[in-house]
Structures are given as C-alpha cells and as structure tokens.
Amino acid sequence: MPENSCEVNSNEGATKRVVIPNAILFPEIAKLLEQGHSVSLRLLGGSMRPFLEDKRDIAVLKLSENYHVGDIVLAQITLTHFVLHRIIAIAQDDITLRGDGNYGCEYCKIKDIKGIALGFYRKGRTTFESVESRKWKFYAWLWPALFPIRRYLLFAYRLKLKITNSYKK
C-alpha cells in the first residue's frame, strides 16, 4: 500500500517522521479542504513530470467549486486511490484527468475532485509559484499541446534524470 510520511514536532522540540498510508491520509486531507483549510502536500510519484518532481516539490491545495481544463486537481479515483493530475476534458459531470508525465487518462466525476492546486514550492525553494502566473499558464497551455510528441520529450527527460543521478552516486 502506498504511503506518505510527515514530520511531527513533539513538545520537547524533537522532530519525528511518521509514515501514514495514503488510504488514511488522503481522506483526512479531503476533510481539511472541505472545512476551508488550505493544505500543503509533498508530491510522490512521477506522474506530473517534468515540471513537478517526486519527493521534491510541494503542492498547495484548496477547495474550489469551479474547475477548468488545465487545472491541476486532487481527485479521488477509487475509494483508496487519489491523484494530483491535470484536467484535460470536462463533459458535464465527467472529468478526464492526465498526469503531465503520463500517457493514459483517469476519470472521475466533479464531486470526486477534493481540491485544486493554488501553486507549488519547487526545487527546494521557499518561493511560492502560483498557477496564476504567466509561467504556469504557459505550462498549462504548452505541455498538453505537445501530447503527440510528449512521449519522446519524457523519454529524454527520464534519461537525463538517470544520467544525472548516476553521477551523484
């Protein structure tokens, strides 16, 4: 079962890493979003590559009632499976999602969307990058438009990561 970890501070100031199964964590995140809180979540997995990276970047989410093609949303696909993917189509109540690093689609209903990304903290930076910025709007337009050749671009990106990581060892 996939798991996320979080850091918990004790009264003595010590920090402890706690591992929480996603099947428990994400319903709790959904509750916080429904109560009007914003939630920061470290990303796991490569489904939003190349712009968002596994265990490196942090998404800031909030509840929304309006969704558009291009929005990055946290959606519940099954009872225990949640994804942070981009909306690529909306047909009445039906939503089609695709991770920027994926080739296949996933599907849900509007009611299954738990939150929308406000922006991200990327590459270990403390600067917030809003999805309303010109840069993110450009990403949201360009990357889906490149879908026919994206397979080759992602292959090159993954190859670059592999080479870079082999030099670090």
Side-chain angles (χ1 to χ4, degrees):
M1 173 182 291
E3 298 177 329
N4 250 303
S5 65
C6 63
E7 293 180 358
V8 178
N9 293 320
S10 70
N11 290 338
E12 296 83 38
T15 300
K16 178 181 177 183
R17 184 166 291 264
V18 178
V19 176
I20 303 169
N22 284 346
I24 295 171
L25 179 64
F26 281 110
E28 292 303 315
I29 288 172
K31 285 181 193 173
L32 288 170
L33 292 168
E34 288 170 10
Q35 293 170 1
H37 300 282
S38 63
V39 174
S40 298
L41 179 67
R42 183 164 310 275
L43 304 180
L44 289 178
S47 69
M48 288 302 289
R49 284 181 175 157
F51 304 113
L52 300 172
E53 193 59 57
D54 176 46
K55 298 177 189 157
R56 181 192 74 183
D57 299 327
I58 297 171
V60 178
L61 308 169
K62 72 165 189 149
L63 185 65
S64 180
E65 294 181 9
N66 298 310
Y67 304 103
H68 304 92
V69 170
D71 289 344
I72 297 174
V73 296
L74 177 67
Q76 185 173 4
I77 304 303
T78 67
L79 189 59
T80 59
H81 181 66
F82 289 75
V83 296
L84 185 76
H85 286 173
R86 189 178 303 281
I87 295 175
I88 62 165
I90 301 174
Q92 296 175 333
D93 233 17
D94 298 318
I95 304 290
T96 304
L97 304 164
R98 182 185 299 128
D100 287 354
N102 294 354
Y103 309 116
C105 295
E106 296 186 85
Y107 306 91
C108 69
K109 301 287 188 185
I110 286 181
K111 68 177 180 55
D112 299 321
I113 296 178
K114 304 304 177 186
I116 189 169
L118 296 175
F120 305 92
Y121 292 95
R122 297 178 58 237
K123 300 181 180 180
R125 297 181 189 134
T126 56
T127 306
F128 180 72
E129 296 183 23
S130 171
V131 295
E132 295 299 320
S133 71
R134 284 187 197 182
K135 177 169 79 172
W136 278 99
K137 287 184 183 225
F138 180 68
Y139 289 164
W141 169 81
L142 177 66
W143 194 246
L146 292 173
F147 185 72
I149 62 166
R150 197 156 82 179
R151 175 179 310 265
Y152 307 106
L153 298 171
L154 285 168
F155 175 79
Y157 177 76
R158 289 181 182 126
L159 185 61
K160 175 190 168 262
L161 282 179
K162 196 173 197 175
I163 291 168
T164 304
N165 289 337
S166 70
Y167 283 124
K168 289 180 182 177
K169 291 180 181 178

